[in-house]
Amino acid sequence: MRDIVLISDPRVAAIPVRECGEPLVDVRGRLRVDSRLADVDGAYAHLRSGLLERLEKVALPEGYELLIVEGYRPITTQRTYFEEYRTRLLIDFPDLSADEAHAAASRYVSPVEVAPHTAGAAVDLTLCSPDGVEHDMGTAVNDNPEESEGACYTAAATISAQARTNREILVAALESVGLVNYPTEWWHWSYGDRYWAMSTGAPHALYGPTSFPPAS
């Protein structure tokens, strides 16, 4: 497995953001959206317009469709997710230092200061059949490294041949429209955020943290 740059790496935070001002837009009615993480306000189903346009261009083999699980995430929610997971790691692995726990937590939840979900720049998704049945991807969306014994890593060698094929289909389709994957989470893809800029060599990110609901 290739070396992985975690999103908590200082190189990611050092990338400047030049906010381009694209709006958050509702994915529902344009792509298939799952409701497992739905919030009352529908924030989960919103993405920056440039990211959504790229997802709409994705070409998949017959029998495969994208299934959107979560897009925009409020800053308060992101902070809660990160702090709760970091605390759990410190309890389960008491030998971890505070810095080590911070880095370990970032394998699964981004620190709020660099989180692409809070910018509407990241999407958690999977593949399904035309009738909505999810394809085998090796783990469920949002299985953490401990629960999955590392199988949530995109390049994990411990998954079945069919799950590997399905991941390869997902990777090829999304990379072809300019998205980048966070390699500890096969389901997490982004465009225009700091991690995307670091991965592609772009001089700056296009999207910074934004609020919901979007301005009318």
Side-chain angles (χ1 to χ4, degrees):
M1 191 178 296
R2 64 184 176 86
D3 290 340
I4 291 173
V5 177
L6 295 177
I7 202 166
S8 60
D9 192 295
R11 289 173 289 179
V12 179
I15 293 172
V17 176
R18 294 185 184 174
E19 173 60 56
C20 70
E22 285 182 7
L24 287 171
V25 291
D26 199 331
V27 175
R28 292 168 293 188
R30 297 174 66 171
L31 293 173
R32 185 188 288 265
V33 180
D34 183 87
S35 62
R36 75 190 74 173
L37 293 178
D39 59 287
V40 172
D41 297 323
Y44 81 106
H46 284 72
L47 296 170
R48 293 290 188 129
S49 59
L51 173 53
L52 176 54
E53 289 165 5
R54 282 163 176 77
L55 291 171
E56 289 181 313
K57 295 176 182 176
V58 167
L60 289 164
E62 184 176 357
Y64 289 84
E65 294 184 6
L66 295 179
L67 179 63
I68 308 301
V69 176
E70 186 178 23
Y72 177 77
R73 189 181 294 159
I75 291 172
T76 54
T77 302
Q78 184 73 32
R79 180 177 291 108
T80 297
Y81 285 174
F82 183 81
E83 292 179 352
E84 287 180 348
Y85 184 50
R86 181 181 58 191
T87 298
R88 190 192 333 165
L89 289 173
L90 285 167
I91 293 170
D92 292 344
F93 305 97
D95 291 336
L96 288 178
S97 68
D99 287 345
E100 289 170 337
H102 186 90
S106 75
R107 297 169 305 158
Y108 178 62
V109 186
S110 175
V112 69
E113 61 270 14
V114 291
H117 279 288
T118 66
V123 59
D124 294 340
L125 47 69
T126 188
L127 294 172
C128 68
S129 66
D131 59 0
V133 177
E134 291 181 41
H135 288 294
D136 177 13
M137 304 299 290
T139 77
V141 173
N142 288 333
D143 274 357
N144 68 39
E146 292 74 43
E147 293 167 337
S148 69
E149 298 182 337
C152 60
Y153 283 51
T154 307
T158 55
I159 61 176
S160 69
Q162 185 59 61
R164 168 57 48 207
T165 295
N166 291 339
R167 288 192 189 185
E168 289 171 351
I169 289 170
L170 183 68
V171 168
L174 295 179
E175 286 185 344
S176 73
V177 295
L179 275 64
V180 300
N181 172 242
Y182 190 45
T184 63
E185 301 176 337
W186 61 261
W187 57 85
H188 178 103
W189 292 80
S190 67
Y191 172 82
D193 63 302
R194 283 181 166 125
Y195 199 85
W196 164 86
M198 188 272 303
S199 300
T200 63
H204 57 83
L206 307 176
Y207 310 132
T210 189
S211 59
F212 188 89
S216 57

